[in-house]
Amino acid sequence: MARVLLTGVRGKTGAPLAELLAARPGVEVLGGSSSPAEVRIDGVRPTAFSWDDPAGWPAAVDSVDAVYVVRPDRADAPELVRALLDVLPEPARVVLLSEQDADYPGPGGWAPRVERAIRESGRKWTVLRPSWFMQVFTDPRFYVDDIADTGELEFASGGAAIAWIDARDIAAVAERALLEPGHAGAVYEITGPEALSLPQTATLLSEAAGRPVVHREVGIDEAVAGSEGFARELDVLTFERVRDGSFAVVTDTVERVTGRPARSLAGFLREHAGMLRRNG
Ligand SMILES: NC(=O)c1ccc[n+]([C@@H]2O[C@H](COP(=O)([O-])OP(=O)(O)OC[C@H]3O[C@@H](n4cnc5c(N)ncnc54)[C@H](OP(=O)(O)O)[C@@H]3O)[C@@H](O)[C@H]2O)c1
């Protein structure tokens, strides 16, 4: 029996990953969440895990064979991740969810420092570096309401493209890295099958929504309005990296690791058209 802890089990990659793992015989899935009472996934054991409660980590990682670490986007993430690895059982392998092209220095060299915490741990590790998730078009915290209500996709792209990735494909790569041999020491840049400009993305959204959706280019200040402090710094940097083409590079990682091609944005939007059509 392999015991696997997922941090962020209720998140965009954690939830589909939990389902994949729970469907495999011989895998015990611990669904880590700061609100474990909210974890309701068949075959998954709700497990208290909060970055704010290091005292609870030893119980969460007890006897685990592998851990999926969703990078917490906060200033102290490098220290937190390093401290978590210190309490892992010796042979446990670690898979980190980072982001595409994460060599950018950022505030205080933040993103590379989070990855270094894993790489220098002496563990068997794998780093996942995905592009922007397609799920930003269905997650109520991002664009779905604006698209459904106004038909506008406000985005600071600077004319660059994004190789949107389905979080389910990230989960499929993570599943292999957590359980199968051959992934130790790998840094996987994970993208969808094509890089799409924002106007091209809006065209696909129009087809799914059944009415026109237009891209409205906004400045970075407008795109990050409402976020503050470290989160704002990170958001500004993310849009600067969009503009610089960091998320436009297409890789074949999903197919190489899972044996089947990455899902397309058009297919994803067809599947979720109902959410985009609710006012249409
Ligand atoms: N979204 C994208 O397009 C994208 C693209 C590339 C990389 N990434 C990176 O991927 C990572 C995850 O982003 P995401 O968009 O997937 O986020 P997400 O779906 O919102 O998931 C974040 C998870 O963090 C958990 N969480 C919140 N507070 C916590 C705490 N105090 N302790 C432990 N867990 C806590 C949440 O679960 P509970 O509330 O249940 O604890 C949630 O499952 C980030 O590092 C992000 O930069 C995201």
Side-chain angles (χ1 to χ4, degrees), residues 42-127:
D42 282 349
V44 172
R45 174 161 20 122
T47 301
F49 178 85
S50 171
W51 292 111
D52 296 312
D53 180 25
W57 298 349
V61 303
D62 183 36
S63 304
V64 295
D65 300 290
V67 181
Y68 180 63
V69 178
V70 174
R71 184 185 69 179
D73 285 356
R74 45 195 270 180
D76 58 353
E79 294 75 28
L80 288 175
V81 170
R82 211 172 272 275
L84 175 62
L85 297 190
D86 283 346
V87 300
L88 284 191
E90 200 49 57
R93 62 169 87 172
V94 184
V95 175
L96 172 73
L97 178 64
S98 178
E99 68 181 298
Q100 188 169 15
D101 193 24
D103 295 314
Y104 69 93
W110 180 83
R113 283 201 296 126
V114 182
E115 291 196 352
R116 271 209 304 281
I118 299 278
R119 293 169 186 237
E120 294 171 355
S121 64
R123 309 275 173 178
K124 284 190 178 147
W125 56 263
T126 308
V127 170

